[in-house]
Amino acid sequence: MANIHIVVGSVMGTALKVAEHCSALLAPTHTVRVTQNFTQGQLDPHEVLLVCTSNTGVGDLPHNIAPLLQHLTCDYPAIAGMRYGIINLGDSSYPSFALAGQKIDDALADIGAQRLGESLVIDNASGEDPQVLASEWLQVWQQLL
């Protein structure tokens, strides 16, 4: 059993729905908390972090998760060794496809956090159900905990 903190970046609500779906799937075997508006001090290096974010503009982060990137790149929290995963929602018709999640992934790696498995990149242009894709990915990701 792991303590999992899901941090959500969402504008239109799709990333939030995916995060809530993941929370429901994880809850029977793990302790899960979901944060929709990140503020400094919410990271606990003893938890497993799952970032679920959409992309806005030209690879910008949604306003409710932008403080996470700022915290990681300006404050350098002591989270070396913290395990994490990334669910990155975007649209491949834009040149900045999946850039927001990649920025967070890079920032976490730069301060020593350890990603579990590969990131899940969900392409809105594919027409596939993001919750189904997240469910399939989560089955593999959970085994790495």
Side-chain angles (χ1 to χ4, degrees), residues 32-89:
V32 183
R33 68 182 174 121
V34 177
T35 299
Q36 294 182 49
N37 293 294
F38 182 84
T39 57
Q40 184 176 346
Q42 291 182 317
L43 290 182
D44 179 344
H46 302 291
E47 293 179 316
V48 178
L49 177 65
L50 179 55
V51 175
C52 184
T53 188
S54 61
N55 289 254
T56 65
V58 286
D60 298 325
L61 288 126
H63 72 282
N64 63 331
I65 199 171
L68 172 62
L69 183 62
Q70 182 177 358
H71 179 55
L72 295 172
T73 58
C74 295
D75 302 327
Y76 307 107
I79 60 169
M82 181 182 202
R83 299 174 300 156
Y84 72 95
I86 303 280
I87 299 176
N88 193 358
L89 295 90

Side-chain angles (χ1 to χ4, degrees), residues 4-26:
I4 301 172
H5 182 188
I6 302 175
V7 178
V8 183
S10 189
V11 176
M12 303 301 287
T14 304
L16 177 58
K17 288 178 185 175
V18 170
E20 289 172 339
H21 180 72
C22 290
S23 176
L25 293 174
L26 291 165

